[in-house]
Each structure stands twice: as structure tokens, then as C-alpha cells.
Amino acid sequence: MHISYRTKIMLRKLLRVLLILLAAALVAGVVLTIYLEPYVVYDRDGAHLDMDGRMMQVVTPNEPAAQRPVIENPEIIYANGTTVNKTIQEMGGYYITTAMLQDADAVFEEIKKIEEPCAVMIQLKSRFGNYYYSSSISGASKADVKISVVDQIITYLSNRGFYLIAEIPAFSDPVYALDHQECGLPMAGGYLWMDEYGCYWLDPANEDVLSHLSQIARELAGRGFKEVAFSEYRFPSTNSIIYRSDKTRSEIISDSVAQLTSYFAGSTTVVSFVSAEDDFPVASCTGRMYVKDVAGSKVTHYEQTYGAAGTLKEIVYIVNSRDTRFESQAVLRPLIAD
């Protein structure tokens, strides 16, 4: 169909007028919305216009009242001071492994049977890098256990005045090593070194590694732990690792112990170490030395080896033995027998 030139001109003018009217309607709508906004009242039935203000309610904001904690037994609070300034030799105590925490409910039931507050060491991280409590640390890998029950155990012990110690494997951590490969221990081909358990290890001299360990310790201190004991605190004995340093492996570990300990100088958090070796650099340690899985016949040897270090608070043996040679020592025994 042929449209004449005059018709085209008229259509263009009509379209221009329509566009102007549409723009004017939009502007009027925006202005009207702004004007009516103070008079819009919302309730369960929807939005309504209240031009005379009869439906409006004046609400004065009030800060919610602080909720007081519910204390089932007020006497428990007064028991918090029973372990203060006591040695582990005086308190006695137990240790809880990650294997025991596979049945966290059973562990909780055993803990409830303890009548007097004492020292309790809990392994809260495995050599495989898994956390056994609800950590908020970035990248934390949760263990396949009842984390909520473990958290309840920690709260229960803390509220009742137990002396809480967390055992944390320091340098055996494949999860952190894979996420931060520059912190691992490399081999000649550029791969990370792996131990017999399939675990990658971290560099003891790396600043980021030590900062990561201190972050874990500070988090646990906030959860009620008085002490953090680092295990697997050593340089692996292997020639497969390509490591360039002017220091010996022993010197690297000694410097690392001193630096990590210095992070908590002046704080109430005690930094300790766990080892079965007799060459640990205890001179750099101001906390406790926990000796694990040793025979009673070696007690004298360890007392002579570590006893001369004037900086140590105490030498504690983690044992599953009734050897009478441990009776006069500071000892932690398993909460649940194997």
C-alpha cells in the first residue's frame, strides 16, 4: 500500500506528540510517587494511602534488653578458680584423641563423670589438616565427626573450671599446604614432599606458616583454652627435600619455637610443645614440654635432658601405662581406654 508524503508527515508529528505525552506522564508519575510516599502505610493487608495520618503509628526504637545467660547450676561458676596456678602434677588429668572424638557422644558422657576440675588435653586438629571443632579460620576443613558435640564438650569443660589444653599438629597439614603451596617443603622436581601417611608438611621458617599457627592458638584461647600444645613440630628427617638455608634443621626449629612463643609474650595463653624426641630445643620454650608414648624406664633420661631448662613450666608425660615410675610425675592419661 502506497502512503503519500503528506500522510507520512502527519504520522511523524502524531508520533512525536505521543512520545512527549508519554514522557510527561512518566515525569508526573515519579513526582506523584514522591509526593504520596509519606502517606503510604503498610500492614498485613498490603499498602494503603492514609492522607489524614489516622492510620500511622509512631514507633520509638528501643535497644533490645541484654539477655542474661541461663545458669543451670550457679555453684559451677564458683568452681572456676580451682585449677588456677596449679601444676598438672597437682591437678592430674586426661587426654582426648581425634580417634576418641569419632564417638563424641561417648566422650561427653565420660567427661560428665569427672567430679573435680583437672587438666584435659584435646586433639582438635589431625595430621591430615582436619579441624575437630567449629573453627572460623579461612579454609578450615571440618572433620567427619559431630562438631557440635565437640563444641559442647569445650563449653562444658571451660564453664566448670577445667584447665583446657589443645593439641595441634603444627607442620603436618596437607590441606593448608595444597592451598598455600609456597609454604610447603619442595622436592627436586618441584613437587611437595609427602610423608608415609600421605601428608604434606609446612616450612617451619615460613612467616605465613607461623602466623597461621598463632591464628589457631588465638582462636582457641577465645574458646576457653589456657594452653596450646603444638605437636609434629620438627623438620622431617629425609634427604628428598630441597631446602636452602645457612642454618641447620635444628637451628631452624629452635628459631621457629622462639618466634612462635614470642607472639604470645605477655598474654595468658601458654604455648607448649609435644614430642617424643630428646633433642627438642626446650631452651626456646617457656611453656610445658609434653612427652608422648615413652616407657617408664626413660623417665629419668627425659628428666635429665629437659629438667635443666629453667624456662620450662613443667615436663608432662602422655601415657597409657600404669608403670609406677610415672606416679611421681606430671601425667595425662587417656579418657577412654583403648
Side-chain angles (χ1 to χ4, degrees):
M1 182 180 64
H2 178 72
I3 301 176
S4 66
Y5 178 76
R6 180 176 298 179
T7 302
K8 290 181 179 180
I9 294 296
M10 292 179 62
L11 290 174
R12 289 176 181 175
K13 290 182 178 179
L14 179 61
L15 180 61
R16 187 178 299 113
V17 170
L18 290 175
L19 290 175
I20 293 172
L21 291 174
L22 179 60
L26 289 174
V27 171
V30 172
V31 172
L32 184 62
T33 300
I34 296 173
Y35 173 76
L36 293 177
E37 185 177 7
Y39 302 98
V40 178
V41 176
Y42 297 90
D43 57 23
R44 293 181 179 179
D45 297 324
H48 309 277
L49 280 177
D50 180 24
M51 301 303 294
D52 55 8
R54 288 179 298 178
M55 298 173 61
M56 297 183 65
Q57 295 181 357
V58 178
V59 179
T60 303
N62 291 318
E63 184 177 351
Q67 296 183 352
R68 296 182 178 180
V70 177
I71 302 173
E72 297 178 358
N73 184 356
E75 295 181 357
I76 290 174
I77 301 302
Y78 296 109
N80 279 358
T82 55
T83 59
V84 175
N85 297 325
K86 285 188 177 181
T87 65
I88 292 181
Q89 185 173 4
E90 294 171 325
M91 289 184 286
Y94 302 92
Y95 69 88
I96 300 170
T97 65
T98 53
M100 295 178 194
L101 291 177
Q102 296 297 321
D103 190 351
D105 291 318
V107 170
F108 204 174
E109 291 305 313
E110 288 298 318
I111 285 174
K112 291 176 182 178
K113 296 177 183 178
I114 304 175
E115 297 180 356
E116 294 293 330
C118 60
V120 176
M121 173 185 279
I122 311 177
Q123 288 182 332
L124 288 177
K125 186 168 172 285
S126 72
R127 66 168 72 238
F128 301 99
N130 297 319
Y131 290 73
Y132 281 70
Y133 68 101
S134 56
S135 173
S136 60
I137 293 176
S138 176
S141 175
K142 302 294 177 62
D144 187 19
V145 298
K146 292 183 178 179
I147 298 293
S148 61
V149 178
V150 178
D151 289 340
Q152 291 176 38
I153 290 171
I154 294 171
T155 302
Y156 179 93
L157 292 171
S158 178
N159 287 345
R160 284 157 178 78
F162 285 77
Y163 184 82
L164 279 176
I165 311 158
E167 181 187 343
I168 301 294
F171 302 132
S172 175
D173 192 334
V175 175
Y176 188 85
L178 287 176
D179 289 342
H180 306 81
Q181 296 191 27
E182 70 281 1
C183 295
L185 294 174
M187 300 174 63
Y191 305 103
L192 294 181
W193 181 82
M194 179 186 294
D195 66 12
E196 66 271 22
Y197 298 100
C199 298
Y200 299 118
W201 281 57
L202 305 176
D203 181 1
N206 189 289
E207 292 285 345
D208 291 336
V209 171
L210 296 182
S211 177
H212 174 62
L213 295 181
S214 68
Q215 183 183 11
I216 297 174
R218 294 184 195 283
E219 180 179 64
L220 291 170
R223 299 290 293 271
F225 284 85
K226 303 300 183 184
E227 188 171 339
V228 178
F230 291 101
S231 57
E232 303 295 356
Y233 211 95
R234 56 188 175 86
F235 203 108
S237 299
T238 175
N239 294 323
S240 300
I241 297 173
I242 304 302
Y243 194 91
R244 294 178 176 84
S245 176
D246 296 332
K247 299 179 180 180
T248 65
R249 297 184 179 189
S250 178
E251 290 172 336
I252 291 172
I253 293 298
S254 180
D255 291 348
S256 176
V257 168
Q259 185 167 345
L260 184 58
T261 300
S262 70
Y263 287 160
F264 295 88
S267 74
T268 57
T269 304
V270 177
V271 176
S272 299
F273 298 90
V274 182
S275 178
E277 309 295 329
D278 59 4
D279 59 350
F280 192 87
V282 293
S284 302
C285 176
T286 58
R288 289 184 173 86
M289 188 69 211
Y290 292 89
V291 183
K292 181 181 290 187
D293 300 328
V294 297
S297 59
K298 293 186 177 181
V299 168
T300 302
H301 170 73
Y302 279 96
E303 293 294 323
Q304 293 175 346
T305 302
Y306 292 142
T311 56
L312 279 182
K313 289 184 179 296
E314 199 173 12
I315 302 174
V316 182
Y317 297 92
I318 303 175
V319 298
N320 187 13
S321 169
R322 295 298 173 184
D323 193 318
T324 56
R325 283 171 286 196
F326 289 114
E327 289 182 357
S328 60
Q329 309 299 325
V331 173
L332 294 179
R333 300 189 184 279
L335 178 70
I336 300 175
D338 295 335

